[in-house]
Amino acid sequence: MVAVATLPDVTPGPAATARPGQRRAWRGIVLVVAAVYFVVPMAVSFWFTVYSEGQGFSLAAYGRILSAPGFLPSLLLSLALAACTIAAVLLLTLPAMLAVRLGAPRLRPVLELISTLPLVVPPITYVVGISTALREGVDALAATPFWATLIAIQDERFPFVLVLAYVMLTLPFAYRSLDAGLRAIDVRTLVEAARNLGASWPYVLFRVIIPNIRSSIASASFLTLALVLGEYTVAALLGYETFPVWIVTISGNDGQLSVALSIISLLLIWLLLLTLSGAGRKRR
Amino acid sequence: MTVPAVTAAAPRGGGRPRSKNWLGALPLLVVTAVAFGIPALTLLAGAFTVKDPATKVSSFGTANLSRSLQGPYLNALLSSVQLSAVVAVAAAVAGTFLAQAVITSRFTALREAVLTFSGVLSNFGGVPLAFIWIATLGNSGVITTALGLGPGVLYNFWGLALVYMYFSVPLMVLVVTPALDGLRPQWREAAQNNGATTWQFWRYVGIPVLTPALLGGVVLLFGGAFAAYATAYAMVGSTVPLVTLQIAEALTGDVLIGYENVALALSLDMIVVALLVMAVYLPLQKRSSRWLR
Amino acid sequence: MYKFVYFREILRDTPLGDTVIASRVRFAGLAAFLLVGTAACGAAPGTAAPSAGASGGGSAAGVDARTATSAADFGGLDKLVEAAKKEGKLHVIALPPDWANYGKIIEAFKAKYGIEIESETPDAASADEINAVKTRKGQDRAPDVLDLGQSFAISGAAEGLFAPYKVETWDKIPENQKEASGLWFNDYGGYVSIGCDAKKIAKCPETYADLLKPEYKGKVAMNGNPTKSGSAFAGVYAAALANGGSFDDIQPGLDFFKKLKDAGNFNPVETTPATIEKGETQISIDWDYNNAAYAPKMAEKGLDWKTVIPSDGKYFQLYAQAINKDAPHPAAARLWQEFLYSPEGQNLYLGGFARPVLLPAMKSDGTVDAAAEANLPPVEGEPTFPTEEQVNKAKEVLAGGWGAAVSG
């Protein structure tokens, strides 16, 4: 009896059959705790927007959103900025990360530094820096053609200055995502093989590397889209009416409307991300 | 097929190509220099500009910096570092567990939904985030009244940390998912076949492979929590001293005039803290990923 | 195993034509991008010229609106209206619709003169307004007129950001409530008040001493931090006056709030309409015109919001108007000031529960809206004002001591 009892300790079999059950339970607990933590506050706020003591249950707050002026222009501006920022961030970061992995390993600390500093500078300080730089740049470069560029990037219809700011703000997140993805594939071998077969650098980038880090690129794009659609401070202080700025402006003195607007904006971003990820999958 | 590859690859490994490789990083460096370097330089200039209130004459000096490292400012800086560190570590652990639970689940729709929702929540902050928690755990919050908890549950250091996790955990999930995806199931099977328990697999294979990504995530979360302020302002005010609150109050407000340069010096302090964190993180990261190459 | 998959993909696309075309497409894209970029550079002079022109123009019949210091310089109010209508637009900043009735004031101005008003970031603070003026110099997006806290008006004038202008009712503004050459002038003000939801609270507090009572545990909030929010700063100053301090000594105010926090009554949440509706900030220290403006809106939601000016801590403060020296619409800016200081404009302020600066003059004139005046929260006596030095010193003490007072 004793000998038989010791056998289960040695063979991994019984332990393996016990594990899936345990694993399922552990996973269930984690998911339930996460669901409670994330969903309950949202549910409470949603309830706040539809129920009030004086008026009872009503969806009036959401009706007011639809009739609020400026919804579509600000949303389109934010989406355009987001698209531009995503493209810019990917086009700038991927070649740099490839360069580091392939032949310039000493640039890695520089890249890590660049990708952490924008994170640590609070948006308010960054905006003050940008506006001071713009102000002094306009004064200093008044006689040169660059003055026109400085004014053009601040154009209300499409403020390129915001794209530049957002690229810097999203760099930490995009870099981390892409870094994790590039670690999972053997970049050196892939690139060497492709170059040996006669591929040009753009080909290597677009047809070899990118298809293999799809989930990282998706993460980075999600993070960027969410950042641009949720970023208030830089846009507000530079004076552009992007979607998050419009939300704060239009809420006015109506408490239910302001909370309803933030819930709607979260749903909107979520729908956009679902569409993006769905489109990404279909291409396979 | 392999021999020509080797001889063709050899010259590429040395001399000239190495000096050309860094060109890939050039666009990024240029854009960073313009979009971040120039504002950073103006900040530096401002941080070292001392305006004499009596004569209104500006000169260069370190008075702002020394002021920013004393009294209430130093207190706030330390408190901010403490809060960010706590949030970063706690959210990193929670986020990794959540990501693993989602990835290994049988429902692929769950993965999709959680990843996109994480994307949405990773940038959720400010007044709306403060409001949903005030509505839930505030002094008159739904849960507070339901469970009969006293007032002040949320308005302290730990309450703020709890709220900060709301955007930190999703961010960690997003950052660590590609790394978890990279953990090949073959490794798990090989370990099992060799008699390893779950714990041994994670200890000797899983966690070492994940460590670079985990460390990167912690740094990201630290930075994000360090620079956040709108949520804290709307929810706890100055009852939890934070350096970002003081910077915001000096640079954009209806009360303080003439404190801008101190605020810029405080921002410089924040950057120095970040550099210190990087100084600890970079060697750790190099060491943890060396064996992976 | 995975590497073979990659090789397969590469091999499949090796046909030379495909690669070459793919690269050509990419380079074409790059070239197009560069072309657009340089076009943006080249087009800028075209777009820049009108803005430069706008800042230099705005003149009607030879009068340069940018240097006009009164309606007389235009040749009368009608000529000013004409010049403003020609400009057609006014750009304002930091004017929330429910703050001192600015929503109705903007509507009234638009209806009367047909001039379009762009109201930007209503939530902006005085420092943001000054920054906007400085950063957007020469651009069409710069704000034309500013509504600033007193200290910001003074410092902005010292920095040379404003244009001097004297409205037609200039002489009726009290001497100490305007800058001598017209760089800034007070427009409206209010007292620090205690707002309270009478439905949720049995007995509303009426003085600062009341706030310390144990029945208000966790309920007393302010409109933000005193180091950032003007009304919260005034709240602390008023608390100092109520507890043995003076305009020179704000420390008792800090001590009061420390006591409030230790008693557990202090709620650090920033009061917003949402938090009031939710029932989190049941008592709020704020300007009386803000608290009073909440009442009608909250009544719809089933709350009964009452406003009381505490008798032990009375603190009154005025805001100030100023015109941007580089305003893109100078005539419209000056017309706006004329409108605000006309009886119509001042009565609109009164309708928003604020105390307009011309109130004493209008009462003696008989032009005051008596019904609106009756709605003001009651207060006794005349207000006294601290000097700028006293205020600056108080701010310094506050900046150094507020954190220590309420944390821990």
Side-chain angles (χ1 to χ4, degrees), chain B residues 72 131 134-135 138-142 155 186 233-239 241 248-249 251-257 259, chain C residues 125-128 151-152 218 224-230 267-270 274 278-280 282 395-396 400 402 406-407:
Chain B
F131 180 78
I134 293 172
N139 290 350
S140 312
V142 166
Y155 306 133
Q186 298 90 328
Y233 185 78
M235 203 177 88
V236 293
S238 287
T239 55
E249 288 165 4
L251 288 176
T252 154
D254 274 300
V255 176
L256 297 176
I257 305 183
Y259 285 76
Chain C
S126 302
D128 301 329
S151 315
F152 288 87
N225 269 357
T227 36
K228 186 164 193 264
S229 156
N267 188 329
V269 166
E270 177 191 10
K278 184 70 188 58
E280 179 68 20
Q282 296 171 10
K395 288 181 181 177
E396 238 183 85
W402 176 251
V406 287
S407 63

Side-chain angles (χ1 to χ4, degrees), chain C residues 113-124:
Chain C
Y113 298 111
I115 296 177
E116 189 56 44
I117 293 191
E118 290 170 349
S119 177
E120 180 198 334
T121 36
D123 274 2

Side-chain angles (χ1 to χ4, degrees), chain A residues 159-170:
Chain A
F160 196 69
V161 64
L162 275 187
V163 174
L164 288 175
Y166 288 160
V167 164
M168 294 317 301
L169 287 177
T170 199

Side-chain angles (χ1 to χ4, degrees), chain B residues 53-144:
Chain B
T55 60
K56 299 276 193 249
V57 168
S58 302
S59 57
F60 281 106
T62 55
N64 292 324
L65 264 186
S66 47
R67 198 164 155 202
S68 72
L69 289 172
Q70 289 168 10
Y73 299 119
L74 182 65
N75 198 12
L77 194 61
L78 293 175
S79 171
S80 278
V81 170
Q82 209 183 343
L83 178 68
S84 313
V86 165
V87 169
V89 170
V93 169
T96 312
F97 274 112
L98 181 59
Q100 178 70 351
V102 166
I103 288 177
T104 55
S105 145
R106 284 169 296 169
F107 310 106
T108 44
L110 180 67
R111 177 197 167 115
E112 181 101 351
V114 169
L115 281 186
T116 46
F117 216 68
S118 296
V120 174
L121 288 183
S122 64
N123 238 284
F124 182 53
V127 177
L129 175 63
F131 180 78
I132 66 174
W133 280 100
I134 293 172
T136 312
L137 275 182
N139 290 350
S140 312
V142 166
I143 302 287
T144 322

Side-chain angles (χ1 to χ4, degrees), chain A residues 219-236:
Chain A
S219 284
S221 311
F222 290 179
L223 287 165
T224 309
L225 184 66
L227 184 138
V228 172
L229 284 176
E231 202 288 321
Y232 173 80
T233 317
V234 177

Side-chain angles (χ1 to χ4, degrees), chain A residues 19 27 37-38 41 45 99 103 112-113 116 119-120 124-126 129 176 183-184 223 226-227 266 270 273 277 281, chain B residues 18 21 35 101 104 112 116 119 122-123 132 162 165-166 174 184 192 198 216 220 227 252 267 274 278 281 285:
Chain A
R19 245 181 278 132
R27 208 182 299 138
Y37 175 74
F38 285 107
S45 326
E112 294 269 352
L113 191 68
T116 318
L119 196 57
V120 181
I124 185 77
T125 318
Y126 189 42
R176 289 275 158 248
R183 264 178 218 288
L223 287 165
L227 184 138
L266 284 180
W270 193 28
L273 291 185
S277 72
R281 260 184 311 128
Chain B
R18 197 181 295 150
N21 264 327
T104 55
E112 181 101 351
T116 46
S122 64
N123 238 284
I132 66 174
L162 184 69
M165 299 264 284
Y166 207 78
L174 276 181
R184 312 275 158 78
Q192 276 180 10
T198 314
L220 200 66
T252 154
S267 312
M278 294 300 293
Y281 159 73
Q285 189 237 32

